[in-house]
Amino acid sequence: MNITDLKTVLDPQAIGEDLHRFATTLYPICRSITGDGFRETLRQIEQFIPLKRYEVPTGTQVFDWTVPREWNIRDAYVKNSKGERVIDFKQHNLHVVNYSVPVHETMSLEALKPHLFSLPEHPDWIPYRTSYYKDTWGFCLTHQQLLDLPEDQYEVCIDSTLDAGNLTYGEYYLPGEVEDEVLVSCHACHPSLANDNLSGIAIAVYLAKALSEVARRYSYRFIFIPATIGSITWLSQNEDQVHRIKHGLVLSCLGDPGKSTYKKSRQGNAEVDRAVTHVLSHSEQDHNIIDFLPYGYDERQFCSPGFNLPVGCFMRSPNSKFPEYHTSADNLDFIQSECLADSFVKCLGVLSVLEHNKIYVNQNPKCEPQLGKRGLYRSIGGSSGTGLNELALLWTLNLSDGQHSLLDIAERSGFKFDVIKQVADALIETHLLKESAN
Amino acid sequence: MNITDLKTVLDPQAIGEDLHRFATTLYPICRSITGDGFRETLRQIEQFIPLKRYEVPTGTQVFDWTVPREWNIRDAYVKNSKGERVIDFKQHNLHVVNYSVPVHETMSLEALKPHLFSLPEHPDWIPYRTSYYKDTWGFCLTHQQLLDLPEDQYEVCIDSTLDAGNLTYGEYYLPGEVEDEVLVSCHACHPSLANDNLSGIAIAVYLAKALSEVARRYSYRFIFIPATIGSITWLSQNEDQVHRIKHGLVLSCLGDPGKSTYKKSRQGNAEVDRAVTHVLSHSEQDHNIIDFLPYGYDERQFCSPGFNLPVGCFMRSPNSKFPEYHTSADNLDFIQSECLADSFVKCLGVLSVLEHNKIYVNQNPKCEPQLGKRGLYRSIGGSSGTGLNELALLWTLNLSDGQHSLLDIAERSGFKFDVIKQVADALIETHLLKESAN
Amino acid sequence: MNITDLKTVLDPQAIGEDLHRFATTLYPICRSITGDGFRETLRQIEQFIPLKRYEVPTGTQVFDWTVPREWNIRDAYVKNSKGERVIDFKQHNLHVVNYSVPVHETMSLEALKPHLFSLPEHPDWIPYRTSYYKDTWGFCLTHQQLLDLPEDQYEVCIDSTLDAGNLTYGEYYLPGEVEDEVLVSCHACHPSLANDNLSGIAIAVYLAKALSEVARRYSYRFIFIPATIGSITWLSQNEDQVHRIKHGLVLSCLGDPGKSTYKKSRQGNAEVDRAVTHVLSHSEQDHNIIDFLPYGYDERQFCSPGFNLPVGCFMRSPNSKFPEYHTSADNLDFIQSECLADSFVKCLGVLSVLEHNKIYVNQNPKCEPQLGKRGLYRSIGGSSGTGLNELALLWTLNLSDGQHSLLDIAERSGFKFDVIKQVADALIETHLLKESAN
């Protein structure tokens, strides 16, 4: 079985439910760019696929950056003078500004307020805030909560630690026929946020599991890393290996009901860019292809000028373009089984194109071969019965001159890649096509 | 006189009538890809231009194909039990499936029906069917005829032969100043079908006759061949000569009232593609330029990857895109004198562009030359009286840097090629332009 | 202070008034392609900037042309039989066909009429006519005047001289850091015509004055020449120097209320073409970018194939596209202070782009640098306070790979050049960017 066959045996409804279930398992964990929440996330992933874990010590220089101290948190709250928890980390881990330094003080509302963050335009949502590189502390709360806080003396407690430790990440490597790699990267550092990016983690894990069971041309590398510092660390530690990456996808925000969005790599016309564009164009669904811009997820690092890797970012609603982004409303209700399944199937479609996008050479390049004598052409009054599309056959023969890949042929002819692949297989079988030696 | 002058002396009405008259002469002949119908067609062409005829024996290997047996037919009919001919080849040669094997049997309607072909959506038209490469027989009839056939015992007779013989084709070669060739190809294997392709044959013949009487830069090769197997055979027999073909046109479906259509060569930007596009763009008529696709007429073979010749296909309504296509409705009424004449004039226009599309070098490239002292520029209050377009003069001087052909200049300036040619001639005469040595 | 700073200290209203005032000074002078009117114009320019004047003798061969005799005129009139001046050069210098040979005769209206030129479609305007290269004489008058002329005997007098003399032009050269030059050219041979081209002269002079007071990367050469013969003469005399011209602008028709128009150089994608396009695109005003055509002003000569210099033409309403063109209606009311100022500011904007459009190399090309530790990035809950656009920062870092200039980055990112320049400066200061050695 190869990756194309996978698509045919797949039950989208079941996979959608599986993906949502896995996101549900991961949701409560309080992740950050370092610490035990990240490790617990990797442990959950390991229920599905074996990971190689890496621990990179605090203080390690990674290009222009330094691996920060490890952050862990046990509890956090703001209590009023009656001892009631008016803000409680145990109720929602977004309540604490991620990477807050420890604090335990009593203070007036006025003194507390500069440390409180809310969203006036969405008074029932808790924002998500971080402060990785500046020592401070804070709480996030709904705007309604904020408005309801009376003048009082508040006991403020963040029971966190920021100590020398490690930055943790996990890798799953699947060897293929060739050492050339497809990289699938997703950040796994966001706490209870479902679309950004439990959806990406879940899909990456299920893709990895599915790929492990089929024949592969490419080798595949799945990495589960903290955002930004994680990809910088990974690139720093794998600088001599990245030349193997021929195609890459950052997976993110893949469960919301918005249309599929693909952000191209910096190269702009890399094979992965064309493969995703092809799959989305033939999806018969509205979609959005956007040019690279140096803002977004870890493609920023993979596409920095010193690497310029062919890595794009596959999403539904893009980061910061949906109101729920980085708020408590990006929860398990916001992501839908069908949307997760649809994203998963499109990812498989893209990988299927990449796996099979080879260049073939027409062995009978002078004039058309006589397809009829090979059973590839209709005879009088009927069709060939082969189920092959004859025009696709002719296109594939015509363009297989050693210069055009199957994706080139699909693009120029307007046929779906799968149709071109199918006729190419028939032509290979009848010795009319042969894989190019180049 | 050169080919451009031809356009000016031409009487379109007369040529249109001549073309239609010639198509009328050819119409009744029962042509096929081999056999005496094809030979008779060549004999008619020879009333206008001398042909070199080729006979290629049955069984000759031509690339992946084999020259088939020669087909000839004397009579064919279906008689009812009263002895009446209910289907009669003598009434219309489309009534027999072309290349039918001989048959003489009596059978029930039920047994006969699988051999009958009609067009339910056009109940008064007879379809055109062939079975070149599968031994079978059949009759085509109007759907009304089919519905009117009662249960009966029918005498079925096709008095045809399928024997070792030859594939016949004809060639007319007109030498020019250079050995570089323009190929004009049309298939001549269709029985009583007027647009596809008596229109093409007639226009090719009259083009050939016209070109024989003028000065020519290029050599011209007109070929009258059976479709598909004919171009394959021709290419097979002329493989070492085809490098001379610098431009080529397949002529087909040129008499119907639809708009002009040009299907580009596989190269897509060959000089002939640009020349036809130019002529159609400046025709002030609606027209259609379509990209190459490996389906259609003999351009399929000329543009196969092993040849990739700069050969496009010039039509009005394209094959299979008009309802009359491959039916008895593609008859002499369907093609119109004015349309034939219009197609002919456009062909001449294209050849005129190709003949004169040279690269010249401005002999005074630094600043503009003083046109006034050469009588090429208007003086006060009047025009130059030369009839020359001054802006076209300036464009031609400006772009004649050894890199731009006259067609390049016409395209970039927006002027019609003829206008650029006219000013180029004036500039050559005043020694301001000289043909490029390259 | 550099050229970018200039834009910030500029008072557009004051500059607009200055420009109009200077045009007013120049308006009454009867200029031609040679003669004292041209010299007087240079003398007026020298009130602002020192010019190097050149006198090129009549008869000098300049490429295909010859410097013509020098034309001067003292008086010209047509008197009726009562001795009244019915056409009077002293009332408007457009009344005489420029370069008219001397004449003093008495003649009938019928004999006079072939020498009279008017505009029936604009009965109150005097046309502008010249006859540089054909010895003749004539008068221009309003159509109303023409209609009012009764049968009479007219005394016709043109008191002009056409003698061996010189063609005069002026140059102002401002050396910069490098010998590479920006050429600013305007014709100064038109008599009382305000938009074409006193507007261009005034703006060129004020640009020159402004540039003389700031630091310059490029050297600048401003030339004030007669049209056509002037640029041909200049190119002929500077043939060995023109390789230094890296960018050039012909300035013309810059004071009318029409939208800004830029006509690209023959190269079509020269840096100056892109710089002007950028400035106009970001002007938030309607504008017009047109392709090169070999008709217009002196760009015709600069862009002749033997030179092909990167010189475009900056205008508002283009030559011959506004009804007032080459008539007495192109007067001081037709040009407006605000329009002159707007054109001036846009010119400065273009020069500012050219001056600062360098290629830089990201010194930390592998992954993003940590902007936060350099004070270039916002921290929690606030903005960086640096006033820098973060996305522009990221684009500049991402594309500064030694292949992209700041203008390339501005074009691809969609940011205004000034914004990219500003962040580039901040990145240079923090040693994240370094000028490319190439």
Side-chain angles (χ1 to χ4, degrees):
Chain A
M1 188 150 92
N2 67 28
I3 193 171
T4 306
D5 305 327
L6 259 187
K7 289 195 298 173
T8 64
V9 302
L10 192 84
D11 173 352
Q13 192 181 336
I15 193 94
E17 285 164 13
D18 287 350
L19 290 165
H20 198 281
R21 190 174 309 118
F22 186 38
T24 304
T25 306
L26 298 175
Y27 186 72
I29 304 168
C30 182
R31 274 166 292 275
S32 185
I33 54 173
T34 59
D36 291 332
F38 199 96
R39 288 190 192 93
E40 171 61 16
T41 301
L42 296 188
R43 208 185 59 78
Q44 293 295 337
I45 293 172
E46 285 165 333
Q47 308 302 310
F48 297 85
I49 50 173
L51 291 182
K52 185 156 182 191
R53 291 209 204 181
Y54 294 82
E55 298 278 351
V56 183
T58 297
T60 304
Q61 192 68 20
V62 287
F63 298 123
D64 193 49
W65 301 62
T66 308
V67 172
R69 289 165 295 168
E70 184 175 325
W71 185 69
N72 284 292
I73 184 162
R74 273 170 301 270
D75 196 4
Y77 56 82
V78 175
K79 281 186 184 166
N80 62 16
S81 52
K82 293 181 215 160
E84 296 161 341
R85 289 191 171 208
V86 295
I87 309 174
D88 185 1
F89 169 69
K90 302 226 185 261
Q91 295 209 345
H92 205 303
N93 56 39
L94 293 186
H95 274 317
V96 169
V97 169
N98 205 292
Y99 250 68
S100 281
V101 298
V103 63
H104 199 167
E105 289 182 40
T106 300
M107 60 184 72
S108 67
L109 181 60
E110 193 186 352
L112 177 59
K113 272 198 171 167
H115 294 272
L116 299 183
F117 304 96
S118 70
L119 295 167
E121 64 274 32
H122 294 290
D124 297 327
W125 297 356
I126 309 164
Y128 165 53
R129 291 280 183 127
T130 68
S131 184
Y132 302 135
Y133 300 102
K134 188 183 167 197
D135 280 1
T136 183
W137 59 267
F139 285 88
C140 298
L141 69 172
T142 73
H143 198 60
Q144 198 52 57
Q145 268 180 301
L146 179 64
L147 294 175
D148 290 349
L149 287 185
E151 290 299 329
D152 201 351
Q153 286 295 309
Y154 290 97
E155 181 195 346
V156 174
C157 172
I158 297 182
D159 182 11
S160 66
T161 53
L162 265 170
D163 293 321
N166 290 286
L167 178 150
T168 309
Y169 66 84
E171 238 185 86
Y172 181 46
Y173 178 73
L174 280 169
E177 277 172 42
V178 295
E179 285 206 332
D180 292 341
E181 287 183 16
V182 179
L183 177 75
V184 177
S185 170
C186 55
H187 59 279
C189 57
H190 284 27
S192 303
L193 294 165
N195 200 35
D196 178 16
N197 194 28
L198 300 182
S199 66
I201 299 169
I203 286 177
V205 166
Y206 274 79
L207 278 177
K209 203 178 134 206
L211 285 173
S212 71
E213 293 161 5
V214 295
R216 297 172 298 271
R217 173 157 69 122
Y218 286 110
S219 299
Y220 285 80
R221 191 176 301 272
F222 290 82
I223 62 177
F224 302 91
I225 55 179
T228 307
I229 187 66
S231 48
I232 293 169
T233 300
W234 188 86
L235 282 163
S236 168
Q237 301 215 323
N238 292 278
E239 197 175 345
D240 56 341
Q241 310 289 330
V242 294
H243 65 275
R244 290 189 187 147
I245 299 175
K246 301 305 174 195
H247 321 285
L249 286 175
V250 169
L251 299 185
S252 170
C253 299
L254 286 165
D256 68 278
K259 61 187 171 187
S260 289
T261 299
Y262 177 67
K263 175 179 154 185
K264 291 185 193 175
S265 76
R266 182 180 185 270
Q267 297 178 22
N269 202 25
E271 195 172 333
V272 67
D273 298 328
R274 294 171 51 214
V276 182
T277 301
H278 181 83
V279 167
L280 294 184
S281 301
H282 284 270
S283 70
E284 291 171 20
Q285 294 172 17
D286 194 13
H287 59 273
N288 197 14
I289 310 282
I290 56 181
D291 283 331
F292 176 76
L293 82 169
Y295 196 78
Y297 292 109
D298 288 315
E299 68 278 4
R300 290 163 68 158
Q301 313 310 329
F302 299 123
C303 297
S304 58
F307 290 110
N308 198 24
L309 295 171
V311 176
C313 179
F314 189 48
M315 305 171 269
R316 299 184 78 88
S317 295
N319 54 305
S320 82
K321 299 292 185 191
F322 53 98
E324 297 84 356
Y325 175 74
H326 279 196
T327 78
S328 59
D330 179 3
N331 59 26
L332 293 166
D333 292 335
F334 183 57
I335 59 170
Q336 302 179 3
S337 295
E338 315 86 72
C339 302
L340 290 163
D342 178 73
S343 297
F344 180 82
V345 169
K346 284 171 177 160
C347 286
L348 269 192
V350 170
L351 299 181
S352 166
V353 170
L354 294 173
E355 280 278 311
H356 300 298
N357 186 30
K358 297 183 184 176
I359 294 178
Y360 295 92
V361 182
N362 181 341
Q363 300 299 297
N364 188 83
K366 291 179 178 167
C367 299
E368 293 170 4
Q370 195 178 356
L371 296 174
K373 71 184 182 191
R374 295 176 176 85
L376 297 173
Y377 211 63
R378 71 172 183 279
S379 56
I380 182 171
S383 74
S384 64
T386 57
L388 295 174
N389 185 307
E390 282 166 16
L391 186 53
L393 268 169
L394 293 172
W395 268 116
T396 304
L397 284 165
N398 190 278
L399 291 181
S400 288
D401 54 4
Q403 306 296 318
H404 297 90
S405 73
L406 294 190
L407 182 55
D408 291 326
I409 299 172
E411 286 178 346
R412 179 155 168 189
S413 69
F415 282 104
K416 207 169 168 167
F417 185 87
D418 291 351
V419 174
I420 297 297
K421 170 72 170 66
Q422 190 191 19
V423 300
D425 285 344
L427 292 168
I428 293 160
E429 212 170 297
T430 52
H431 309 292
L432 286 170
L433 283 195
K434 211 169 131 180
E435 193 174 340
S436 170
N438 309 337
Chain B
M1 188 150 93
N2 67 27
I3 194 171
T4 308
D5 306 325
L6 259 187
K7 289 194 299 172
T8 64
V9 302
L10 193 84
D11 173 352
Q13 193 181 335
I15 193 93
E17 285 163 13
D18 287 349
L19 290 164
H20 198 280
R21 190 174 309 115
F22 186 38
T24 304
T25 307
L26 298 175
Y27 186 72
I29 304 169
C30 183
R31 274 165 292 274
S32 186
I33 54 173
T34 59
D36 291 331
F38 198 95
R39 289 189 192 92
E40 171 60 17
T41 301
L42 296 188
R43 207 184 60 76
Q44 293 296 338
I45 292 171
E46 285 164 334
Q47 306 304 308
F48 297 85
I49 51 172
L51 291 181
K52 185 155 182 190
R53 291 209 204 179
Y54 295 82
E55 298 279 350
V56 184
T58 297
T60 304
Q61 193 67 21
V62 287
F63 297 124
D64 193 49
W65 301 62
T66 308
V67 172
R69 288 165 297 169
E70 184 175 325
W71 185 69
N72 284 293
I73 183 162
R74 272 170 302 272
D75 195 4
Y77 56 82
V78 174
K79 282 186 184 165
N80 63 15
S81 53
K82 293 182 213 157
E84 296 161 341
R85 290 189 171 210
V86 295
I87 308 174
D88 184 1
F89 169 69
K90 302 226 185 263
Q91 293 208 344
H92 206 302
N93 56 38
L94 292 186
H95 274 316
V96 169
V97 168
N98 204 292
Y99 251 69
S100 280
V101 298
V103 62
H104 199 168
E105 289 182 40
T106 299
M107 59 184 72
S108 67
L109 180 60
E110 193 187 352
L112 177 57
K113 273 200 169 166
H115 294 273
L116 300 183
F117 304 97
S118 70
L119 294 167
E121 64 275 32
H122 294 292
D124 297 326
W125 297 357
I126 309 164
Y128 165 53
R129 291 280 183 127
T130 67
S131 184
Y132 302 136
Y133 300 102
K134 187 182 169 197
D135 280 0
T136 184
W137 60 267
F139 285 88
C140 298
L141 69 172
T142 73
H143 199 59
Q144 198 51 56
Q145 268 181 301
L146 179 63
L147 294 175
D148 290 348
L149 286 184
E151 289 299 330
D152 201 352
Q153 285 295 308
Y154 290 99
E155 181 194 347
V156 173
C157 172
I158 297 181
D159 182 11
S160 67
T161 53
L162 264 170
D163 292 322
N166 290 285
L167 178 150
T168 310
Y169 66 85
E171 236 184 88
Y172 182 46
Y173 178 72
L174 280 169
E177 276 171 44
V178 295
E179 285 205 332
D180 292 342
E181 288 183 17
V182 179
L183 177 76
V184 177
S185 170
C186 54
H187 58 279
C189 57
H190 283 27
S192 303
L193 294 165
N195 199 36
D196 178 15
N197 194 27
L198 301 182
S199 66
I201 299 168
I203 286 176
V205 167
Y206 274 79
L207 278 177
K209 203 178 134 207
L211 286 173
S212 72
E213 294 160 7
V214 295
R216 298 172 298 272
R217 172 158 70 122
Y218 286 111
S219 298
Y220 285 80
R221 192 175 300 273
F222 290 82
I223 62 176
F224 301 91
I225 55 179
T228 306
I229 186 69
S231 49
I232 293 169
T233 299
W234 188 87
L235 281 163
S236 168
Q237 302 215 323
N238 292 278
E239 197 175 346
D240 55 343
Q241 310 290 330
V242 294
H243 65 275
R244 291 188 187 147
I245 299 174
K246 300 305 174 198
H247 321 287
L249 285 175
V250 169
L251 298 185
S252 170
C253 299
L254 286 165
D256 68 278
K259 61 186 170 188
S260 289
T261 299
Y262 178 67
K263 175 179 154 185
K264 290 185 193 175
S265 76
R266 181 180 186 269
Q267 297 179 21
N269 202 26
E271 196 173 332
V272 67
D273 299 327
R274 294 171 50 212
V276 183
T277 301
H278 181 83
V279 167
L280 294 183
S281 301
H282 284 269
S283 69
E284 290 172 19
Q285 294 171 17
D286 194 13
H287 59 273
N288 198 13
I289 309 281
I290 56 181
D291 283 331
F292 176 76
L293 82 169
Y295 196 78
Y297 293 108
D298 288 314
E299 68 278 4
R300 291 162 69 158
Q301 312 310 328
F302 299 122
C303 296
S304 58
F307 290 110
N308 198 24
L309 295 172
V311 176
C313 179
F314 188 49
M315 303 172 271
R316 299 185 78 89
S317 295
N319 55 303
S320 83
K321 300 292 184 189
F322 51 98
E324 296 85 355
Y325 176 75
H326 279 195
T327 77
S328 58
D330 178 3
N331 58 27
L332 293 166
D333 292 336
F334 183 56
I335 59 171
Q336 303 178 4
S337 295
E338 315 84 74
C339 302
L340 290 163
D342 178 73
S343 298
F344 180 81
V345 170
K346 284 171 177 159
C347 286
L348 269 192
V350 171
L351 299 181
S352 166
V353 170
L354 295 173
E355 280 280 310
H356 301 298
N357 185 32
K358 297 182 184 176
I359 293 178
Y360 295 92
V361 182
N362 181 340
Q363 300 299 297
N364 189 83
K366 291 180 178 165
C367 299
E368 293 170 4
Q370 195 179 356
L371 296 174
K373 71 184 183 192
R374 294 175 178 86
L376 298 172
Y377 211 63
R378 71 171 184 280
S379 55
I380 181 172
S383 73
S384 64
T386 57
L388 295 174
N389 186 307
E390 282 165 15
L391 186 52
L393 269 169
L394 294 172
W395 268 117
T396 304
L397 285 165
N398 189 277
L399 292 181
S400 288
D401 55 4
Q403 306 296 319
H404 297 90
S405 73
L406 295 190
L407 182 55
D408 291 326
I409 298 172
E411 287 178 346
R412 179 153 168 191
S413 69
F415 281 105
K416 207 169 169 166
F417 184 87
D418 290 351
V419 174
I420 296 297
K421 170 72 169 65
Q422 192 191 17
V423 301
D425 285 344
L427 292 169
I428 293 160
E429 212 171 296
T430 51
H431 309 294
L432 286 170
L433 283 194
K434 212 170 130 179
E435 193 173 340
S436 171
N438 309 336
Chain C
M1 188 150 91
N2 68 27
I3 194 170
T4 307
D5 306 325
L6 259 187
K7 289 194 297 173
T8 63
V9 301
L10 193 84
D11 173 353
Q13 193 181 335
I15 194 93
E17 285 163 12
D18 287 348
L19 290 165
H20 198 280
R21 192 173 308 118
F22 185 37
T24 304
T25 306
L26 298 174
Y27 185 72
I29 304 168
C30 182
R31 275 165 292 275
S32 185
I33 54 173
T34 60
D36 291 332
F38 198 95
R39 290 189 191 94
E40 171 61 16
T41 301
L42 297 188
R43 208 185 59 77
Q44 293 296 337
I45 293 171
E46 286 164 334
Q47 307 303 310
F48 297 85
I49 51 172
L51 291 182
K52 186 157 182 189
R53 291 208 203 180
Y54 294 82
E55 298 279 349
V56 183
T58 298
T60 304
Q61 192 68 21
V62 288
F63 298 123
D64 193 48
W65 302 61
T66 308
V67 172
R69 288 165 297 168
E70 184 175 325
W71 186 68
N72 284 293
I73 184 162
R74 273 171 300 270
D75 196 5
Y77 55 81
V78 174
K79 281 186 184 165
N80 63 15
S81 53
K82 293 182 215 158
E84 297 161 342
R85 290 191 171 207
V86 295
I87 310 175
D88 185 1
F89 169 70
K90 302 225 187 262
Q91 294 208 345
H92 206 301
N93 57 38
L94 291 186
H95 275 315
V96 169
V97 170
N98 205 293
Y99 251 68
S100 280
V101 296
V103 63
H104 199 168
E105 289 181 40
T106 300
M107 60 184 71
S108 67
L109 180 61
E110 194 186 353
L112 178 59
K113 273 199 170 166
H115 295 273
L116 300 183
F117 303 98
S118 70
L119 295 166
E121 64 274 32
H122 293 292
D124 297 326
W125 297 357
I126 309 163
Y128 164 53
R129 291 280 182 127
T130 67
S131 183
Y132 302 135
Y133 300 102
K134 189 183 168 197
D135 279 1
T136 184
W137 59 266
F139 285 88
C140 298
L141 69 174
T142 73
H143 198 59
Q144 198 52 56
Q145 269 180 301
L146 179 64
L147 295 175
D148 290 348
L149 287 184
E151 289 300 328
D152 200 350
Q153 286 295 308
Y154 290 97
E155 180 195 346
V156 173
C157 173
I158 297 182
D159 183 11
S160 65
T161 53
L162 265 169
D163 294 319
N166 290 286
L167 178 150
T168 310
Y169 67 84
E171 238 185 85
Y172 181 45
Y173 177 73
L174 280 170
E177 277 171 44
V178 295
E179 286 205 332
D180 292 342
E181 288 182 17
V182 179
L183 177 75
V184 178
S185 170
C186 54
H187 59 279
C189 57
H190 284 27
S192 304
L193 294 165
N195 199 35
D196 178 15
N197 194 26
L198 301 182
S199 66
I201 299 169
I203 286 176
V205 167
Y206 274 80
L207 278 177
K209 203 177 132 208
L211 286 173
S212 72
E213 294 160 6
V214 296
R216 297 173 299 272
R217 172 158 68 124
Y218 286 111
S219 298
Y220 286 79
R221 192 176 299 272
F222 291 82
I223 62 178
F224 302 91
I225 56 178
T228 307
I229 186 68
S231 50
I232 293 169
T233 300
W234 188 86
L235 282 163
S236 168
Q237 301 215 323
N238 292 278
E239 196 175 346
D240 55 341
Q241 311 289 331
V242 294
H243 65 274
R244 290 189 187 147
I245 299 174
K246 300 305 173 195
H247 321 286
L249 285 175
V250 169
L251 299 185
S252 171
C253 299
L254 287 165
D256 69 277
K259 60 187 172 189
S260 288
T261 299
Y262 178 66
K263 176 179 154 185
K264 291 184 193 174
S265 76
R266 181 180 186 269
Q267 298 179 21
N269 202 26
E271 196 173 332
V272 67
D273 298 328
R274 294 170 51 213
V276 183
T277 301
H278 181 83
V279 167
L280 294 184
S281 302
H282 284 269
S283 69
E284 291 172 17
Q285 292 171 18
D286 194 14
H287 59 273
N288 197 15
I289 309 282
I290 56 181
D291 283 331
F292 176 76
L293 83 169
Y295 195 78
Y297 292 109
D298 288 315
E299 69 278 4
R300 290 161 69 158
Q301 313 309 329
F302 299 123
C303 297
S304 58
F307 290 110
N308 198 24
L309 295 172
V311 175
C313 180
F314 188 49
M315 304 171 271
R316 298 184 78 89
S317 296
N319 54 303
S320 84
K321 300 291 185 191
F322 51 99
E324 296 84 356
Y325 175 74
H326 279 195
T327 77
S328 59
D330 179 2
N331 59 27
L332 293 166
D333 291 337
F334 183 56
I335 59 171
Q336 302 179 2
S337 295
E338 316 83 74
C339 302
L340 289 163
D342 178 73
S343 297
F344 180 82
V345 170
K346 284 170 177 160
C347 286
L348 270 191
V350 171
L351 299 181
S352 166
V353 170
L354 295 173
E355 280 279 310
H356 300 299
N357 185 31
K358 297 183 184 176
I359 294 177
Y360 296 92
V361 182
N362 181 341
Q363 300 299 297
N364 188 81
K366 290 180 177 165
C367 299
E368 294 171 4
Q370 195 178 355
L371 296 174
K373 71 184 182 192
R374 294 175 178 86
L376 298 173
Y377 212 64
R378 70 171 184 279
S379 57
I380 181 173
S383 74
S384 64
T386 57
L388 295 174
N389 185 307
E390 282 166 16
L391 186 53
L393 269 169
L394 294 171
W395 268 117
T396 305
L397 284 166
N398 189 277
L399 291 180
S400 288
D401 54 4
Q403 305 297 317
H404 296 90
S405 72
L406 294 190
L407 182 54
D408 291 326
I409 298 172
E411 287 179 346
R412 179 153 169 191
S413 69
F415 282 105
K416 207 169 168 167
F417 184 87
D418 291 351
V419 174
I420 297 297
K421 170 72 170 65
Q422 191 191 18
V423 301
D425 285 343
L427 292 168
I428 293 160
E429 212 170 297
T430 52
H431 310 292
L432 286 170
L433 283 194
K434 211 170 132 180
E435 193 173 340
S436 170
N438 309 337

